[in-house]
Each structure stands twice: as structure tokens, then as C-alpha cells.
Amino acid sequence: MFNRELLQKILDVTHIRPHSYSYYLLAFTHVSADPIHNYEKLEFLGDAVIDKIIAQYLFEEKPTMSVGELSSTHSLITQGKTMTIASKMMGLRDLIIFGNTIKSKEAITDSILEDVFEAFIGAVYLDQGEIAVKQILKRTIIHLFLIDQLRNLQDYKTKLQNDYFFKNKHLKFRYDTYFSKERKEYKTEIYVNDVRKSIGWGKKIKDSENDASRILYNKLSKEQMATLKGAKD
């Protein structure tokens, strides 16, 4: 059953007076509760809105950052772990509507919390507009960035960029991403000097990029350790 009272408390904190509760009801409906009318499309919208607003924020507020630094910082702020923390901060967990296939709240994964935060942002965007979304992001993921709470949450794409890409200017790195209709998820290939080095998968573009980055990062780390060991021997 949908906890409208709890939703109202959360909306009150964010100074939102809903024009329509239908968006918010949809934002917290898991696919197990309704295979058709659920939060997946709002999640898609929210993800895109967050990406745009954070890119604009960094462009305006961090004028001394290079393009590479802007990219890695954007990845840091918009990564799934950050969304999960924001979801917990706002208490969105207790609003999720599940079907009978999910028996316990203990089954709520970080991935679901990430999805719900993005869906909530999508709902706010449709109901209130971009200014309201900016205010929520300033209170959550931007706030976490400003108080330096994301440093230890670096995703693998950011780690790869900071530890290898920026330190090896002679190497040309490229991400190629496309949607696989067969697997119904995104596939990312990372090329180094036009040679494919890793492949990653994910239901979102950033998830597939991070998966491919994780594989390449671990591969490069092992190669680096082997080189150091060889030098000592």
C-alpha cells in the first residue's frame, strides 16, 4: 500500500506542493507490482535530467576544471552509489511498492534505491519543473560532493581516467557504447589506440561504461603489479 503520508512529509521538506500525485505513485511502483505501469520510464527521464543539471552545475561553478576533470567529476557525482546514498537520505526506501514476488524490505538492493531516486527526480521534473529538481539535487548529491563525501566512492570509470588516462597522454582511449536488442541492455567497448581492451554491460549507459572500466582497470592494475614485480626480481 502506498504511504501517501510519508510522501507528503518528504515533499514538505523539499518545499514541493504536488500538482499531481500520479507521477509520484508511478515513481515508487516496482516492476514486480505492475509490469507495465512502473517507475522504469521515469527512471530513464530522471537519469537524463540529473546528467544535464550536474553538467551545467560543473560548467558554471567549476570554471578552472579541464574537460577531463569535468568529465571525471560528473561521473563521480552521478554514479549509482551516490544516487543510493541520496535515496537513503530522503527516506525513499519506505515508499516503494512491491508485488508478491518480493516478500521482504530486506530484498531492496542498492540498485533499486538508485533507480527509485532517479524515478523520483523524473516525477518532480514533470510535476514541478527543472528549478525544483535543482533544489533537490543541491540538497542531496551536490551537497555530498561539496562536503567531500564522495571521494571514497569513485567509480571505476573515474579511477581509470585519474590513474591511467590522464597520466598517459600518448595513449588514445575511446568508449564505444550501443544498445543490444538481443540482451536488452547496453554494451560498452573500451579501445586503447584503436585496440579493444575490454567489454562491459549494463542496463544504463553509465553502468556499461563502469563495467567495462572495471574490467580494464583491474587488467591494467595486474599488468602494473607484474611489471613492478619483474623490476624487483
Side-chain angles (χ1 to χ4, degrees):
M1 184 176 179
F2 187 58
N3 192 334
R4 183 163 173 165
E5 183 179 348
L6 177 58
L7 171 62
Q8 190 58 58
K9 288 181 180 179
I10 292 172
L11 295 177
D12 287 344
V13 170
T14 54
H15 307 292
I16 291 176
R17 294 183 177 179
H19 296 128
S20 172
Y21 278 95
S22 60
Y23 291 129
Y24 302 99
L25 176 60
L26 196 62
F28 297 106
T29 302
H30 189 261
V31 65
S32 64
D34 192 323
I36 299 175
H37 301 100
N38 54 64
Y39 62 57
E40 289 184 333
K41 289 184 179 179
L42 280 175
E43 174 200 342
F44 167 78
L45 175 62
D47 182 44
V49 171
I50 292 169
D51 279 349
K52 184 262 186 185
I53 290 176
I54 296 303
Q56 182 179 356
Y57 164 78
L58 292 173
F59 179 82
E60 294 173 349
E61 300 295 329
K62 303 295 178 181
T64 61
M65 280 188 175
S66 67
V67 173
E69 289 171 330
L70 288 171
S71 178
S72 61
T73 304
H74 185 278
S75 296
L76 178 66
I77 298 175
T78 61
Q79 66 176 304
K81 293 177 182 178
T82 309
M83 306 299 167
T84 299
I85 294 173
S87 190
K88 292 177 180 177
M89 285 172 60
M90 296 190 70
L92 302 184
R93 173 193 180 97
D94 294 326
L95 289 170
I96 307 173
I97 304 168
F98 292 105
N100 294 329
T101 56
I102 297 182
K103 303 296 184 182
S104 169
K105 289 284 185 180
E106 299 302 319
I108 301 177
T109 63
D110 284 352
S111 177
I112 290 176
L113 292 175
E114 172 195 348
D115 295 345
V116 164
F117 179 77
E118 292 173 340
F120 175 68
I121 292 299
V124 173
Y125 178 76
L126 291 177
D127 184 54
Q128 300 284 311
E130 190 171 304
I131 292 177
V133 172
K134 286 182 178 179
Q135 293 304 313
I136 293 174
L137 297 186
K138 284 180 180 178
R139 291 168 176 263
T140 54
I141 63 176
I142 292 176
H143 174 69
L144 290 169
F145 167 65
L146 292 176
I147 63 173
D148 205 28
Q149 289 296 303
L150 304 181
R151 184 179 298 275
N152 295 326
L153 295 178
Q154 283 190 349
D155 61 1
Y156 277 99
K157 183 178 180 182
T158 303
K159 288 182 179 180
L160 190 62
Q161 290 173 332
N162 290 339
D163 293 353
Y164 293 102
F165 291 7
F166 298 152
K167 296 178 181 179
N168 296 279
K169 301 294 185 181
H170 62 289
L171 298 177
K172 180 182 177 183
F173 293 88
R174 185 179 85 245
Y175 285 80
D176 284 354
T177 302
Y178 65 90
F179 186 75
S180 170
K181 292 183 179 179
E182 182 180 352
R183 290 185 51 158
K184 295 183 179 180
E185 59 181 343
Y186 288 95
K187 177 182 180 181
T188 292
E189 299 175 336
I190 301 180
Y191 289 81
V192 180
N193 289 347
D194 295 324
V195 177
R196 190 176 69 186
K197 292 294 185 178
S198 68
I199 299 173
W201 296 88
K203 69 173 186 174
K204 301 174 186 175
I205 292 176
K206 62 184 177 185
D207 291 339
S208 66
E209 288 180 341
N210 193 53
D211 188 42
S213 297
R214 174 186 59 80
I215 293 170
L216 181 55
Y217 184 89
N218 290 335
K219 184 184 297 183
L220 292 173
S221 296
K222 288 180 181 179
E223 290 176 355
Q224 190 176 64
M225 289 300 294
T227 300
L228 291 173
K229 184 178 179 181
K232 289 180 180 179
D233 293 342

PDB file of all heavy atoms in Angstrom, residues 14-46:
ATOM      1  N   THR A  14      11.131  19.203   0.977  1.00  0.00           N
ATOM      2  CA  THR A  14      11.704  19.756  -0.261  1.00  0.00           C
ATOM      3  C   THR A  14      10.866  20.908  -0.822  1.00  0.00           C
ATOM      4  O   THR A  14      11.124  21.373  -1.925  1.00  0.00           O
ATOM      5  CB  THR A  14      11.817  18.649  -1.330  1.00  0.00           C
ATOM      6  OG1 THR A  14      10.543  18.016  -1.503  1.00  0.00           O
ATOM      7  CG2 THR A  14      12.832  17.599  -0.916  1.00  0.00           C
ATOM      8  N   HIS A  15       9.874  21.351  -0.032  1.00  0.00           N
ATOM      9  CA  HIS A  15       9.033  22.510  -0.401  1.00  0.00           C
ATOM     10  C   HIS A  15       8.284  22.293  -1.717  1.00  0.00           C
ATOM     11  O   HIS A  15       8.145  23.209  -2.523  1.00  0.00           O
ATOM     12  CB  HIS A  15       9.877  23.788  -0.489  1.00  0.00           C
ATOM     13  CG  HIS A  15      10.691  24.052   0.754  1.00  0.00           C
ATOM     14  ND1 HIS A  15      10.119  24.394   1.955  1.00  0.00           N
ATOM     15  CD2 HIS A  15      12.039  23.983   0.980  1.00  0.00           C
ATOM     16  CE1 HIS A  15      11.078  24.549   2.873  1.00  0.00           C
ATOM     17  NE2 HIS A  15      12.243  24.304   2.315  1.00  0.00           N
ATOM     18  N   ILE A  16       7.810  21.066  -1.908  1.00  0.00           N
ATOM     19  CA  ILE A  16       7.058  20.734  -3.127  1.00  0.00           C
ATOM     20  C   ILE A  16       5.581  20.573  -2.795  1.00  0.00           C
ATOM     21  O   ILE A  16       5.218  19.846  -1.876  1.00  0.00           O
ATOM     22  CB  ILE A  16       7.596  19.433  -3.770  1.00  0.00           C
ATOM     23  CG1 ILE A  16       8.995  19.671  -4.353  1.00  0.00           C
ATOM     24  CG2 ILE A  16       6.650  18.928  -4.857  1.00  0.00           C
ATOM     25  CD1 ILE A  16       9.632  18.421  -4.915  1.00  0.00           C
ATOM     26  N   ARG A  17       4.752  21.277  -3.554  1.00  0.00           N
ATOM     27  CA  ARG A  17       3.305  21.100  -3.470  1.00  0.00           C
ATOM     28  C   ARG A  17       2.859  20.459  -4.782  1.00  0.00           C
ATOM     29  O   ARG A  17       2.775  21.140  -5.808  1.00  0.00           O
ATOM     30  CB  ARG A  17       2.612  22.451  -3.256  1.00  0.00           C
ATOM     31  CG  ARG A  17       2.939  23.096  -1.913  1.00  0.00           C
ATOM     32  CD  ARG A  17       2.191  24.393  -1.714  1.00  0.00           C
ATOM     33  NE  ARG A  17       2.449  24.974  -0.415  1.00  0.00           N
ATOM     34  CZ  ARG A  17       1.937  26.129   0.006  1.00  0.00           C
ATOM     35  NH1 ARG A  17       1.126  26.807  -0.802  1.00  0.00           N
ATOM     36  NH2 ARG A  17       2.225  26.597   1.202  1.00  0.00           N
ATOM     37  N   PRO A  18       2.588  19.167  -4.747  1.00  0.00           N
ATOM     38  CA  PRO A  18       2.307  18.436  -5.994  1.00  0.00           C
ATOM     39  C   PRO A  18       1.096  18.961  -6.755  1.00  0.00           C
ATOM     40  O   PRO A  18       0.072  19.306  -6.159  1.00  0.00           O
ATOM     41  CB  PRO A  18       2.048  17.005  -5.507  1.00  0.00           C
ATOM     42  CG  PRO A  18       2.655  16.945  -4.156  1.00  0.00           C
ATOM     43  CD  PRO A  18       2.511  18.307  -3.573  1.00  0.00           C
ATOM     44  N   HIS A  19       1.251  19.023  -8.062  1.00  0.00           N
ATOM     45  CA  HIS A  19       0.117  19.304  -8.929  1.00  0.00           C
ATOM     46  C   HIS A  19      -0.638  18.007  -9.208  1.00  0.00           C
ATOM     47  O   HIS A  19      -1.844  18.011  -9.415  1.00  0.00           O
ATOM     48  CB  HIS A  19       0.600  19.923 -10.249  1.00  0.00           C
ATOM     49  CG  HIS A  19       1.265  21.247 -10.061  1.00  0.00           C
ATOM     50  ND1 HIS A  19       2.509  21.541 -10.568  1.00  0.00           N
ATOM     51  CD2 HIS A  19       0.872  22.358  -9.385  1.00  0.00           C
ATOM     52  CE1 HIS A  19       2.854  22.774 -10.241  1.00  0.00           C
ATOM     53  NE2 HIS A  19       1.874  23.287  -9.515  1.00  0.00           N
ATOM     54  N   SER A  20       0.131  16.898  -9.211  1.00  0.00           N
ATOM     55  CA  SER A  20      -0.462  15.582  -9.463  1.00  0.00           C
ATOM     56  C   SER A  20       0.325  14.518  -8.705  1.00  0.00           C
ATOM     57  O   SER A  20       1.556  14.433  -8.841  1.00  0.00           O
ATOM     58  CB  SER A  20      -0.448  15.256 -10.960  1.00  0.00           C
ATOM     59  OG  SER A  20      -0.850  13.931 -11.189  1.00  0.00           O
ATOM     60  N   TYR A  21      -0.370  13.726  -7.911  1.00  0.00           N
ATOM     61  CA  TYR A  21       0.287  12.654  -7.170  1.00  0.00           C
ATOM     62  C   TYR A  21       0.565  11.438  -8.056  1.00  0.00           C
ATOM     63  O   TYR A  21       1.305  10.537  -7.667  1.00  0.00           O
ATOM     64  CB  TYR A  21      -0.573  12.221  -5.980  1.00  0.00           C
ATOM     65  CG  TYR A  21      -0.420  13.105  -4.764  1.00  0.00           C
ATOM     66  CD1 TYR A  21      -1.309  14.152  -4.527  1.00  0.00           C
ATOM     67  CD2 TYR A  21       0.605  12.893  -3.851  1.00  0.00           C
ATOM     68  CE1 TYR A  21      -1.177  14.966  -3.409  1.00  0.00           C
ATOM     69  CE2 TYR A  21       0.747  13.694  -2.727  1.00  0.00           C
ATOM     70  CZ  TYR A  21      -0.149  14.734  -2.518  1.00  0.00           C
ATOM     71  OH  TYR A  21      -0.008  15.533  -1.407  1.00  0.00           O
ATOM     72  N   SER A  22      -0.027  11.411  -9.237  1.00  0.00           N
ATOM     73  CA  SER A  22       0.095  10.235 -10.097  1.00  0.00           C
ATOM     74  C   SER A  22       1.541   9.980 -10.505  1.00  0.00           C
ATOM     75  O   SER A  22       1.970   8.829 -10.603  1.00  0.00           O
ATOM     76  CB  SER A  22      -0.784  10.381 -11.340  1.00  0.00           C
ATOM     77  OG  SER A  22      -0.404  11.515 -12.102  1.00  0.00           O
ATOM     78  N   TYR A  23       2.298  11.048 -10.762  1.00  0.00           N
ATOM     79  CA  TYR A  23       3.715  10.885 -11.118  1.00  0.00           C
ATOM     80  C   TYR A  23       4.480  10.213  -9.986  1.00  0.00           C
ATOM     81  O   TYR A  23       5.323   9.343 -10.208  1.00  0.00           O
ATOM     82  CB  TYR A  23       4.361  12.236 -11.424  1.00  0.00           C
ATOM     83  CG  TYR A  23       3.884  12.890 -12.692  1.00  0.00           C
ATOM     84  CD1 TYR A  23       3.447  14.211 -12.685  1.00  0.00           C
ATOM     85  CD2 TYR A  23       3.879  12.201 -13.906  1.00  0.00           C
ATOM     86  CE1 TYR A  23       3.019  14.839 -13.850  1.00  0.00           C
ATOM     87  CE2 TYR A  23       3.455  12.821 -15.076  1.00  0.00           C
ATOM     88  CZ  TYR A  23       3.019  14.137 -15.031  1.00  0.00           C
ATOM     89  OH  TYR A  23       2.601  14.745 -16.187  1.00  0.00           O
ATOM     90  N   TYR A  24       4.202  10.624  -8.754  1.00  0.00           N
ATOM     91  CA  TYR A  24       4.932  10.113  -7.601  1.00  0.00           C
ATOM     92  C   TYR A  24       4.538   8.667  -7.292  1.00  0.00           C
ATOM     93  O   TYR A  24       5.385   7.860  -6.897  1.00  0.00           O
ATOM     94  CB  TYR A  24       4.696  11.022  -6.389  1.00  0.00           C
ATOM     95  CG  TYR A  24       5.121  12.445  -6.669  1.00  0.00           C
ATOM     96  CD1 TYR A  24       4.185  13.409  -7.030  1.00  0.00           C
ATOM     97  CD2 TYR A  24       6.464  12.812  -6.622  1.00  0.00           C
ATOM     98  CE1 TYR A  24       4.569  14.712  -7.320  1.00  0.00           C
ATOM     99  CE2 TYR A  24       6.866  14.105  -6.915  1.00  0.00           C
ATOM    100  CZ  TYR A  24       5.913  15.054  -7.262  1.00  0.00           C
ATOM    101  OH  TYR A  24       6.306  16.337  -7.566  1.00  0.00           O
ATOM    102  N   LEU A  25       3.283   8.361  -7.472  1.00  0.00           N
ATOM    103  CA  LEU A  25       2.837   6.976  -7.303  1.00  0.00           C
ATOM    104  C   LEU A  25       3.567   6.065  -8.285  1.00  0.00           C
ATOM    105  O   LEU A  25       4.055   4.988  -7.914  1.00  0.00           O
ATOM    106  CB  LEU A  25       1.329   6.872  -7.531  1.00  0.00           C
ATOM    107  CG  LEU A  25       0.714   5.465  -7.487  1.00  0.00           C
ATOM    108  CD1 LEU A  25       0.947   4.822  -6.120  1.00  0.00           C
ATOM    109  CD2 LEU A  25      -0.774   5.526  -7.793  1.00  0.00           C
ATOM    110  N   LEU A  26       3.698   6.530  -9.521  1.00  0.00           N
ATOM    111  CA  LEU A  26       4.394   5.763 -10.549  1.00  0.00           C
ATOM    112  C   LEU A  26       5.878   5.635 -10.223  1.00  0.00           C
ATOM    113  O   LEU A  26       6.490   4.581 -10.447  1.00  0.00           O
ATOM    114  CB  LEU A  26       4.208   6.446 -11.910  1.00  0.00           C
ATOM    115  CG  LEU A  26       4.518   5.624 -13.167  1.00  0.00           C
ATOM    116  CD1 LEU A  26       3.596   4.417 -13.261  1.00  0.00           C
ATOM    117  CD2 LEU A  26       4.372   6.498 -14.413  1.00  0.00           C
ATOM    118  N   ALA A  27       6.454   6.695  -9.670  1.00  0.00           N
ATOM    119  CA  ALA A  27       7.886   6.719  -9.370  1.00  0.00           C
ATOM    120  C   ALA A  27       8.303   5.682  -8.341  1.00  0.00           C
ATOM    121  O   ALA A  27       9.469   5.292  -8.271  1.00  0.00           O
ATOM    122  CB  ALA A  27       8.292   8.107  -8.882  1.00  0.00           C
ATOM    123  N   PHE A  28       7.343   5.221  -7.541  1.00  0.00           N
ATOM    124  CA  PHE A  28       7.671   4.253  -6.490  1.00  0.00           C
ATOM    125  C   PHE A  28       7.054   2.877  -6.732  1.00  0.00           C
ATOM    126  O   PHE A  28       7.080   2.024  -5.852  1.00  0.00           O
ATOM    127  CB  PHE A  28       7.240   4.800  -5.129  1.00  0.00           C
ATOM    128  CG  PHE A  28       7.970   6.050  -4.741  1.00  0.00           C
ATOM    129  CD1 PHE A  28       7.339   7.286  -4.784  1.00  0.00           C
ATOM    130  CD2 PHE A  28       9.305   5.995  -4.389  1.00  0.00           C
ATOM    131  CE1 PHE A  28       8.022   8.444  -4.462  1.00  0.00           C
ATOM    132  CE2 PHE A  28      10.005   7.144  -4.056  1.00  0.00           C
ATOM    133  CZ  PHE A  28       9.364   8.381  -4.091  1.00  0.00           C
ATOM    134  N   THR A  29       6.534   2.660  -7.927  1.00  0.00           N
ATOM    135  CA  THR A  29       5.942   1.364  -8.260  1.00  0.00           C
ATOM    136  C   THR A  29       6.965   0.470  -8.949  1.00  0.00           C
ATOM    137  O   THR A  29       7.397   0.738 -10.072  1.00  0.00           O
ATOM    138  CB  THR A  29       4.716   1.537  -9.177  1.00  0.00           C
ATOM    139  OG1 THR A  29       3.750   2.365  -8.521  1.00  0.00           O
ATOM    140  CG2 THR A  29       4.087   0.190  -9.489  1.00  0.00           C
ATOM    141  N   HIS A  30       7.377  -0.570  -8.249  1.00  0.00           N
ATOM    142  CA  HIS A  30       8.361  -1.517  -8.778  1.00  0.00           C
ATOM    143  C   HIS A  30       7.730  -2.388  -9.858  1.00  0.00           C
ATOM    144  O   HIS A  30       6.510  -2.602  -9.867  1.00  0.00           O
ATOM    145  CB  HIS A  30       8.887  -2.389  -7.630  1.00  0.00           C
ATOM    146  CG  HIS A  30      10.037  -3.256  -7.999  1.00  0.00           C
ATOM    147  ND1 HIS A  30       9.895  -4.595  -8.313  1.00  0.00           N
ATOM    148  CD2 HIS A  30      11.362  -2.985  -8.109  1.00  0.00           C
ATOM    149  CE1 HIS A  30      11.071  -5.113  -8.572  1.00  0.00           C
ATOM    150  NE2 HIS A  30      11.988  -4.162  -8.470  1.00  0.00           N
ATOM    151  N   VAL A  31       8.553  -2.900 -10.760  1.00  0.00           N
ATOM    152  CA  VAL A  31       8.055  -3.724 -11.862  1.00  0.00           C
ATOM    153  C   VAL A  31       7.346  -4.983 -11.355  1.00  0.00           C
ATOM    154  O   VAL A  31       6.463  -5.520 -12.032  1.00  0.00           O
ATOM    155  CB  VAL A  31       9.217  -4.101 -12.818  1.00  0.00           C
ATOM    156  CG1 VAL A  31      10.228  -4.996 -12.107  1.00  0.00           C
ATOM    157  CG2 VAL A  31       8.701  -4.745 -14.084  1.00  0.00           C
ATOM    158  N   SER A  32       7.688  -5.452 -10.171  1.00  0.00           N
ATOM    159  CA  SER A  32       7.030  -6.631  -9.607  1.00  0.00           C
ATOM    160  C   SER A  32       5.580  -6.346  -9.232  1.00  0.00           C
ATOM    161  O   SER A  32       4.754  -7.256  -9.166  1.00  0.00           O
ATOM    162  CB  SER A  32       7.786  -7.122  -8.366  1.00  0.00           C
ATOM    163  OG  SER A  32       7.750  -6.150  -7.330  1.00  0.00           O
ATOM    164  N   ALA A  33       5.270  -5.069  -8.977  1.00  0.00           N
ATOM    165  CA  ALA A  33       3.905  -4.677  -8.629  1.00  0.00           C
ATOM    166  C   ALA A  33       3.056  -4.423  -9.866  1.00  0.00           C
ATOM    167  O   ALA A  33       1.847  -4.654  -9.851  1.00  0.00           O
ATOM    168  CB  ALA A  33       3.923  -3.431  -7.749  1.00  0.00           C
ATOM    169  N   ASP A  34       3.709  -3.936 -10.929  1.00  0.00           N
ATOM    170  CA  ASP A  34       2.991  -3.666 -12.179  1.00  0.00           C
ATOM    171  C   ASP A  34       3.997  -3.708 -13.332  1.00  0.00           C
ATOM    172  O   ASP A  34       4.826  -2.807 -13.458  1.00  0.00           O
ATOM    173  CB  ASP A  34       2.317  -2.290 -12.137  1.00  0.00           C
ATOM    174  CG  ASP A  34       1.324  -2.088 -13.268  1.00  0.00           C
ATOM    175  OD1 ASP A  34       1.598  -2.558 -14.388  1.00  0.00           O
ATOM    176  OD2 ASP A  34       0.280  -1.453 -13.044  1.00  0.00           O
ATOM    177  N   PRO A  35       3.971  -4.753 -14.152  1.00  0.00           N
ATOM    178  CA  PRO A  35       4.939  -4.908 -15.254  1.00  0.00           C
ATOM    179  C   PRO A  35       4.872  -3.807 -16.307  1.00  0.00           C
ATOM    180  O   PRO A  35       5.831  -3.606 -17.043  1.00  0.00           O
ATOM    181  CB  PRO A  35       4.547  -6.265 -15.869  1.00  0.00           C
ATOM    182  CG  PRO A  35       3.760  -6.960 -14.812  1.00  0.00           C
ATOM    183  CD  PRO A  35       3.034  -5.884 -14.067  1.00  0.00           C
ATOM    184  N   ILE A  36       3.756  -3.087 -16.362  1.00  0.00           N
ATOM    185  CA  ILE A  36       3.583  -2.053 -17.387  1.00  0.00           C
ATOM    186  C   ILE A  36       3.699  -0.648 -16.797  1.00  0.00           C
ATOM    187  O   ILE A  36       4.492   0.176 -17.271  1.00  0.00           O
ATOM    188  CB  ILE A  36       2.224  -2.210 -18.100  1.00  0.00           C
ATOM    189  CG1 ILE A  36       2.161  -3.571 -18.797  1.00  0.00           C
ATOM    190  CG2 ILE A  36       2.011  -1.072 -19.108  1.00  0.00           C
ATOM    191  CD1 ILE A  36       0.816  -3.881 -19.428  1.00  0.00           C
ATOM    192  N   HIS A  37       2.921  -0.378 -15.778  1.00  0.00           N
ATOM    193  CA  HIS A  37       2.908   0.952 -15.163  1.00  0.00           C
ATOM    194  C   HIS A  37       3.807   0.943 -13.928  1.00  0.00           C
ATOM    195  O   HIS A  37       3.339   0.687 -12.811  1.00  0.00           O
ATOM    196  CB  HIS A  37       1.480   1.364 -14.805  1.00  0.00           C
ATOM    197  CG  HIS A  37       0.555   1.394 -15.981  1.00  0.00           C
ATOM    198  ND1 HIS A  37      -0.329   0.373 -16.259  1.00  0.00           N
ATOM    199  CD2 HIS A  37       0.413   2.310 -16.981  1.00  0.00           C
ATOM    200  CE1 HIS A  37      -0.997   0.666 -17.363  1.00  0.00           C
ATOM    201  NE2 HIS A  37      -0.567   1.833 -17.821  1.00  0.00           N
ATOM    202  N   ASN A  38       5.087   1.197 -14.142  1.00  0.00           N
ATOM    203  CA  ASN A  38       6.069   1.197 -13.063  1.00  0.00           C
ATOM    204  C   ASN A  38       7.052   2.346 -13.272  1.00  0.00           C
ATOM    205  O   ASN A  38       6.884   3.165 -14.166  1.00  0.00           O
ATOM    206  CB  ASN A  38       6.791  -0.146 -12.995  1.00  0.00           C
ATOM    207  CG  ASN A  38       7.411  -0.524 -14.330  1.00  0.00           C
ATOM    208  OD1 ASN A  38       8.315   0.145 -14.824  1.00  0.00           O
ATOM    209  ND2 ASN A  38       6.897  -1.591 -14.950  1.00  0.00           N
ATOM    210  N   TYR A  39       8.096   2.367 -12.437  1.00  0.00           N
ATOM    211  CA  TYR A  39       8.988   3.531 -12.437  1.00  0.00           C
ATOM    212  C   TYR A  39      10.062   3.545 -13.534  1.00  0.00           C
ATOM    213  O   TYR A  39      10.855   4.489 -13.622  1.00  0.00           O
ATOM    214  CB  TYR A  39       9.658   3.707 -11.075  1.00  0.00           C
ATOM    215  CG  TYR A  39      10.551   2.588 -10.597  1.00  0.00           C
ATOM    216  CD1 TYR A  39      11.643   2.134 -11.311  1.00  0.00           C
ATOM    217  CD2 TYR A  39      10.318   1.999  -9.345  1.00  0.00           C
ATOM    218  CE1 TYR A  39      12.469   1.142 -10.834  1.00  0.00           C
ATOM    219  CE2 TYR A  39      11.145   1.000  -8.850  1.00  0.00           C
ATOM    220  CZ  TYR A  39      12.225   0.582  -9.602  1.00  0.00           C
ATOM    221  OH  TYR A  39      13.053  -0.411  -9.118  1.00  0.00           O
ATOM    222  N   GLU A  40      10.131   2.553 -14.377  1.00  0.00           N
ATOM    223  CA  GLU A  40      11.254   2.428 -15.304  1.00  0.00           C
ATOM    224  C   GLU A  40      11.399   3.622 -16.251  1.00  0.00           C
ATOM    225  O   GLU A  40      12.503   4.099 -16.504  1.00  0.00           O
ATOM    226  CB  GLU A  40      11.146   1.123 -16.093  1.00  0.00           C
ATOM    227  CG  GLU A  40      11.423  -0.114 -15.232  1.00  0.00           C
ATOM    228  CD  GLU A  40      11.402  -1.397 -16.012  1.00  0.00           C
ATOM    229  OE1 GLU A  40      10.712  -1.456 -17.050  1.00  0.00           O
ATOM    230  OE2 GLU A  40      12.075  -2.354 -15.582  1.00  0.00           O
ATOM    231  N   LYS A  41      10.289   4.118 -16.803  1.00  0.00           N
ATOM    232  CA  LYS A  41      10.377   5.245 -17.734  1.00  0.00           C
ATOM    233  C   LYS A  41      10.717   6.546 -17.008  1.00  0.00           C
ATOM    234  O   LYS A  41      11.467   7.372 -17.527  1.00  0.00           O
ATOM    235  CB  LYS A  41       9.069   5.390 -18.518  1.00  0.00           C
ATOM    236  CG  LYS A  41       8.847   4.281 -19.533  1.00  0.00           C
ATOM    237  CD  LYS A  41       7.584   4.501 -20.364  1.00  0.00           C
ATOM    238  CE  LYS A  41       7.411   3.388 -21.380  1.00  0.00           C
ATOM    239  NZ  LYS A  41       6.181   3.563 -22.199  1.00  0.00           N
ATOM    240  N   LEU A  42      10.187   6.715 -15.812  1.00  0.00           N
ATOM    241  CA  LEU A  42      10.549   7.893 -15.019  1.00  0.00           C
ATOM    242  C   LEU A  42      12.017   7.839 -14.598  1.00  0.00           C
ATOM    243  O   LEU A  42      12.691   8.863 -14.520  1.00  0.00           O
ATOM    244  CB  LEU A  42       9.658   7.985 -13.774  1.00  0.00           C
ATOM    245  CG  LEU A  42       8.264   8.575 -13.975  1.00  0.00           C
ATOM    246  CD1 LEU A  42       7.462   8.498 -12.682  1.00  0.00           C
ATOM    247  CD2 LEU A  42       8.338  10.015 -14.471  1.00  0.00           C
ATOM    248  N   GLU A  43      12.490   6.638 -14.339  1.00  0.00           N
ATOM    249  CA  GLU A  43      13.912   6.443 -14.024  1.00  0.00           C
ATOM    250  C   GLU A  43      14.781   6.884 -15.197  1.00  0.00           C
ATOM    251  O   GLU A  43      15.797   7.571 -15.017  1.00  0.00           O
ATOM    252  CB  GLU A  43      14.155   4.973 -13.710  1.00  0.00           C
ATOM    253  CG  GLU A  43      15.600   4.586 -13.500  1.00  0.00           C
ATOM    254  CD  GLU A  43      15.828   3.097 -13.683  1.00  0.00           C
ATOM    255  OE1 GLU A  43      14.846   2.328 -13.636  1.00  0.00           O
ATOM    256  OE2 GLU A  43      16.984   2.710 -13.900  1.00  0.00           O
ATOM    257  N   PHE A  44      14.378   6.505 -16.399  1.00  0.00           N
ATOM    258  CA  PHE A  44      15.091   6.898 -17.618  1.00  0.00           C
ATOM    259  C   PHE A  44      15.129   8.422 -17.742  1.00  0.00           C
ATOM    260  O   PHE A  44      16.182   9.018 -18.014  1.00  0.00           O
ATOM    261  CB  PHE A  44      14.396   6.286 -18.839  1.00  0.00           C
ATOM    262  CG  PHE A  44      14.831   6.852 -20.159  1.00  0.00           C
ATOM    263  CD1 PHE A  44      16.025   6.457 -20.742  1.00  0.00           C
ATOM    264  CD2 PHE A  44      14.054   7.808 -20.819  1.00  0.00           C
ATOM    265  CE1 PHE A  44      16.436   7.002 -21.963  1.00  0.00           C
ATOM    266  CE2 PHE A  44      14.450   8.343 -22.018  1.00  0.00           C
ATOM    267  CZ  PHE A  44      15.646   7.933 -22.601  1.00  0.00           C
ATOM    268  N   LEU A  45      13.987   9.053 -17.519  1.00  0.00           N
ATOM    269  CA  LEU A  45      13.907  10.508 -17.605  1.00  0.00           C
ATOM    270  C   LEU A  45      14.743  11.168 -16.528  1.00  0.00           C
ATOM    271  O   LEU A  45      15.520  12.103 -16.797  1.00  0.00           O
ATOM    272  CB  LEU A  45      12.450  10.962 -17.484  1.00  0.00           C
ATOM    273  CG  LEU A  45      12.201  12.477 -17.431  1.00  0.00           C
ATOM    274  CD1 LEU A  45      12.682  13.141 -18.717  1.00  0.00           C
ATOM    275  CD2 LEU A  45      10.731  12.772 -17.180  1.00  0.00           C
ATOM    276  N   GLY A  46      14.610  10.685 -15.303  1.00  0.00           N
ATOM    277  CA  GLY A  46      15.354  11.264 -14.191  1.00  0.00           C
ATOM    278  C   GLY A  46      16.851  11.176 -14.371  1.00  0.00           C
ATOM    279  O   GLY A  46      17.588  12.113 -14.055  1.00  0.00           O
TER     280      GLY A  46
END
